Amino acid sequence: MEYKYILILIVIVYLPVLITGQYTIIGVPESYAVFGENYTLQCNVTDSPSLVDFRRNNDVVCTMINCGSQPIDNRYKCRCINNNNKQLYLNISNIYKQDDTTWSCGDDNNRGSTTVSVYYGPENIKFNPTSDNIDVIEGKSQSVNCLADCKPDCNINWSKDGSTTILNNPLSLSTSDQTGLTDVTGINITEDGPDELTFSSDVTSIIITEDGPDELTFSPNVTSINITEGRDQTITCLTDCYKCNYKWTGPVSSSSKDLVLTEIKRNQEGNYRCEATNIKNTNPKTRSQSIQVNVHYPPYITSITSDAVNNESDEGSDVTFNCNVDSKPVSNITWSSSTSTNTNNSQQWTLTQAKCQDTGIYTCTANNGIGQSTTKLPLNIRCSPRINGDLKDEVMNRLGEEVTLSIDVMAYPKPSFKWIQESTGQELTPDTTQQVATNNYISSLTVTIQQSSFGNYIATVNNGIGCDKSYTIKIIDGDPGTKPISEEETLYKECLGTGIGIGIGISVMCLLLVLLTIFIYRKYHPANKKLPEESYATFSNRIPEDRTYEDLNTRPEVNDNNQHNSGDVKEYENMRRN
């Protein structure tokens, strides 16, 4: 019985441990970091926590919520490995000496920790004693210590006059064969006699300095770089310096030779400057160089407008559209319409003398090679009703059958339709009035044909703009399979018959005038007049040679004519003889 209670107590005490995730944190790939370089810590979790943080000496440096990162400093970046929230990492940029401490990961209930050692050096090399020249009397001993900041501890060795012989630290000087200069500090060791001592180089001390930086470039080797928003980019500052400190200034700063831009944003665009300073030189030497970072991003249409009030305009007026776009590089802007296949390329575009059929949706499209954006804007053109297409102004069918009269009009705003039978003056109610498009309406009237149904039907349309528009459709008795003759064809045939009749009448009149003219001409022309009867000569059947002048004038009327005298007789006789 006592064992059961003990077992229950153990379960109660250790239950939180069993249900709380276990955290382990290690350095990757080494357990130590190097000063000024980057370092990564990997945190492994046995469960799948939603909230995890990384701490340095119990100070939170980066928090993760479901693999989302919330760093407190640009030096830190924490994420999930391959979106696995059981494997996390913390990336530390530009390791400081202060980072040589305890690091941990976990939540408020449980944490894993590790100690990170930061390796650095050797630096701050100095001697004890600090004098640049040390005089030692032969036979006496003098120790010189070489001191340097290192982690792990430095292995310090001495050499003399470029000799390959390695001497241990501290350096113990006591004999004349140790007189000379060290390869680092130029310690002078003299002995008691001889009276004069010189060196192969006629100097008393040598100061060794490190040169550089003489040149500074970037990787990539450009002075201006274009980066697409949301992408990562690392720019490295390259110098010929042995030991330089680096400093990046700009929208994002860094104290290492690498400028790391993670998921760059457009507000991080600008001019970045890298400075490299040689800290080993007695007089520190600095060089700097600048690079322009341009952040490219896809277009975003900030506004699309027109000067049409409430997106409505009168027919015949001009409508100007504006499409404002934010993008880098600049976008190509294209306007298109739902009512036309034509396109226009410009930020501002004007539709001149808008027509009723221009009512529709107008689209602005912006494209800069990185992305594309579109926005739509409606436009309604106020216009009086007018027939859309061709009006079927005659329909044909027999008694007892149904016929449908329809009228298709364009108008905006919506028109009203009124149907009237012309012969009776009765107003009829249409069966349907259908809106096909924003400015297109069709009204239909169905009639069951009776004897009184034949004739004209008048459809009147009005939408408050302009006058009423009336259109006539005629119902004709006949076979619906026969094509009805339109009024135009009837008028043409009537005109053709009338023309033929008029032509025949004119032709007859012309003929009569010609005959009358001929008659008058023949009757009254002088050449056609007859001589008086007394001037005619009567001839007999005798031979002309045997006839005499008297024979020609046998009638008394002729004989009495005084115009014929004896002289005439002689003349006649002479003519006959000849």
Side-chain angles (χ1 to χ4, degrees):
M1 189 67 176
E2 293 179 357
Y3 293 113
K4 292 181 181 180
Y5 288 121
I6 292 172
L7 179 60
I8 293 172
L9 182 61
I10 291 173
V11 170
I12 293 174
V13 170
Y14 286 95
L15 184 59
V17 175
L18 294 175
I19 65 175
T20 302
Q22 299 297 314
Y23 296 84
T24 58
I25 182 170
I26 59 174
V28 178
E30 305 290 347
S31 60
Y32 63 88
V34 178
F35 176 71
E37 297 184 1
N38 298 339
Y39 186 65
T40 299
L41 289 168
Q42 181 174 322
C43 180
N44 298 318
V45 192
T46 57
D47 61 359
S48 300
S50 59
L51 176 64
V52 177
D53 61 55
F54 286 87
R55 301 184 184 183
R56 184 183 74 172
N57 281 342
N58 211 31
D59 293 330
V60 177
V61 297
C62 191
T63 302
M64 292 181 57
I65 301 176
N66 293 326
C67 290
S69 175
Q70 295 181 354
I72 64 169
D73 190 300
N74 288 336
R75 283 210 311 135
Y76 306 105
K77 177 180 177 181
C78 56
R79 294 287 174 86
C80 293
I81 300 176
N82 296 326
N83 291 321
N84 180 4
N85 62 356
K86 291 185 179 183
Q87 289 186 323
L88 320 173
Y89 74 87
L90 173 68
N91 187 53
I92 309 169
S93 300
N94 190 23
I95 287 288
Y96 299 159
K97 291 181 181 179
Q98 294 86 338
D99 294 330
D100 189 333
T101 186
T102 300
W103 295 79
S104 66
C105 70
D107 51 32
D108 293 337
N109 297 321
N110 198 6
R111 307 192 67 79
S113 62
T114 187
T115 299
V116 175
S117 296
V118 177
Y119 288 3
Y120 58 90
E123 57 187 33
N124 299 326
I125 300 175
K126 55 187 177 180
F127 301 99
N128 186 19
T130 59
S131 175
D132 291 340
N133 294 280
I134 300 175
D135 295 329
V136 182
I137 299 175
E138 186 176 17
K140 293 187 177 181
S141 296
Q142 175 68 51
S143 294
V144 181
N145 274 302
C146 180
L147 305 176
D149 292 336
C150 302
K151 186 170 184 178
D153 292 339
C154 294
N155 182 19
I156 300 176
N157 295 306
W158 291 81
S159 64
K160 172 176 170 289
D161 293 336
S163 171
T164 57
T165 302
I166 303 302
L167 306 176
N168 293 326
N169 186 47
L171 176 64
S172 179
L173 304 173
S174 59
T175 61
S176 60
D177 61 351
Q178 294 172 337
T179 300
L181 294 175
T182 68
D183 65 340
V184 177
T185 60
I187 300 177
N188 250 338
I189 305 174
T190 60
E191 33 179 294
D192 188 11
D195 296 333
E196 184 178 0
L197 182 87
T198 59
F199 300 99
S200 59
S201 296
D202 191 14
V203 294
T204 57
S205 64
I206 297 176
I207 299 175
I208 301 175
T209 61
E210 298 179 8
D211 198 8
D214 292 329
E215 185 180 4
L216 190 150
T217 58
F218 298 108
S219 177
N221 188 18
V222 292
T223 58
S224 179
I225 186 171
N226 300 326
I227 309 171
T228 302
E229 188 175 35
R231 295 185 179 178
D232 298 342
Q233 180 70 50
T234 298
I235 304 173
T236 303
C237 192
L238 304 176
T239 67
D240 56 356
C241 183
Y242 169 70
K243 187 67 176 179
C244 276
N245 283 345
Y246 297 90
K247 182 175 71 174
W248 281 93
T249 56
V252 176
S253 60
S254 174
S255 56
S256 71
K257 64 179 180 179
D258 292 328
L259 174 65
V260 180
L261 302 172
T262 305
E263 296 180 356
I264 192 169
K265 300 175 178 59
R266 65 190 69 178
N267 61 1
Q268 293 175 332
E269 176 179 283
N271 187 270
Y272 289 78
R273 190 173 190 83
C274 174
E275 291 185 357
T277 302
N278 188 340
I279 60 174
K280 289 295 185 180
N281 236 329
T282 304
N283 297 316
K285 183 179 180 180
T286 299
R287 285 191 180 274
S288 62
Q289 186 68 273
S290 295
I291 184 171
Q292 176 67 31
V293 173
N294 302 311
V295 180
H296 287 186
Y297 50 92
Y300 169 70
I301 298 178
T302 57
S303 67
I304 178 173
T305 60
S306 75
D307 57 4
V309 180
N310 296 325
N311 297 326
E312 293 184 359
S313 184
D314 293 326
E315 188 173 27
S317 61
D318 294 346
V319 180
T320 299
F321 296 89
N322 274 288
C323 185
N324 296 312
V325 179
D326 178 23
S327 68
K328 191 167 187 179
V330 175
S331 294
N332 292 322
I333 298 176
T334 303
W335 285 96
S336 59
S337 168
S338 61
T339 61
S340 173
T341 58
N342 296 330
T343 58
N344 298 272
N345 299 318
S346 61
Q347 178 182 348
Q348 185 181 87
W349 170 62
T350 299
L351 173 66
T352 58
Q353 297 182 348
K355 302 177 182 61
C356 190
Q357 54 266 34
D358 290 326
T359 291
I361 303 298
Y362 289 78
T363 302
C364 170
T365 301
N367 190 316
N368 68 344
I370 297 176
Q372 178 172 295
S373 179
T374 60
T375 301
K376 302 178 183 297
L377 182 70
L379 175 66
N380 300 315
I381 304 300
R382 290 187 292 268
C383 55
S384 60
R386 75 281 315 270
I387 289 294
N388 182 30
D390 296 326
L391 174 64
K392 185 179 181 182
D393 55 2
E394 288 186 353
V395 293
M396 179 183 292
N397 217 324
R398 299 295 187 184
L399 287 172
E401 301 296 334
E402 284 189 348
V403 293
T404 299
L405 314 180
S406 65
I407 182 170
D408 184 352
V409 300
M410 294 180 64
Y412 185 85
K414 181 180 180 180
S416 61
F417 294 84
K418 183 169 65 173
W419 289 85
I420 296 177
Q421 186 179 7
E422 186 179 47
S423 62
T424 63
Q426 180 183 0
E427 183 174 344
L428 306 174
T429 303
D431 300 292
T432 60
T433 299
Q434 178 185 5
Q435 183 175 2
V436 181
T438 304
N439 62 341
N440 187 199
Y441 301 86
I442 298 177
S443 180
S444 300
L445 174 67
T446 301
V447 178
T448 301
I449 300 178
Q450 302 174 7
Q451 188 61 47
S452 60
S453 301
F454 296 111
N456 293 332
Y457 291 79
I458 301 173
T460 302
V461 190
N462 183 278
N463 69 341
I465 298 179
C467 301
D468 292 355
K469 299 292 180 66
S470 297
Y471 305 94
T472 301
I473 303 176
K474 187 175 184 179
I475 299 179
I476 302 173
D477 186 11
D479 186 355
T482 304
K483 180 180 179 182
I485 301 176
S486 64
E487 290 184 1
E488 290 81 1
E489 292 175 338
T490 303
L491 180 61
Y492 171 75
K493 291 180 179 180
E494 290 177 355
C495 292
L496 181 61
T498 302
I500 293 173
I502 292 173
I504 293 173
I506 292 174
S507 299
V508 172
M509 289 182 66
C510 290
L511 179 61
L512 291 175
L513 287 173
V514 170
L515 293 175
L516 181 61
T517 301
I518 293 172
F519 174 77
I520 293 172
Y521 175 81
R522 295 184 65 180
K523 182 175 181 180
Y524 294 101
H525 194 276
N528 297 323
K529 290 182 179 181
K530 290 184 178 180
L531 293 173
E533 290 184 1
E534 58 272 15
S535 64
Y536 286 94
T538 303
F539 296 91
S540 67
N541 292 328
R542 291 184 296 176
I543 299 172
E545 290 80 359
D546 296 334
R547 287 180 292 181
T548 64
Y549 180 77
E550 288 79 4
D551 293 330
L552 297 173
N553 296 278
T554 56
R555 296 193 318 174
E557 298 85 343
V558 175
N559 293 331
D560 292 338
N561 193 339
N562 293 325
Q563 65 180 343
H564 299 287
N565 50 40
S566 59
D568 296 330
V569 174
K570 292 179 180 180
E571 183 180 357
Y572 175 77
E573 292 293 334
N574 292 329
M575 290 175 60
R576 192 171 67 87
R577 292 188 187 99
N578 293 331

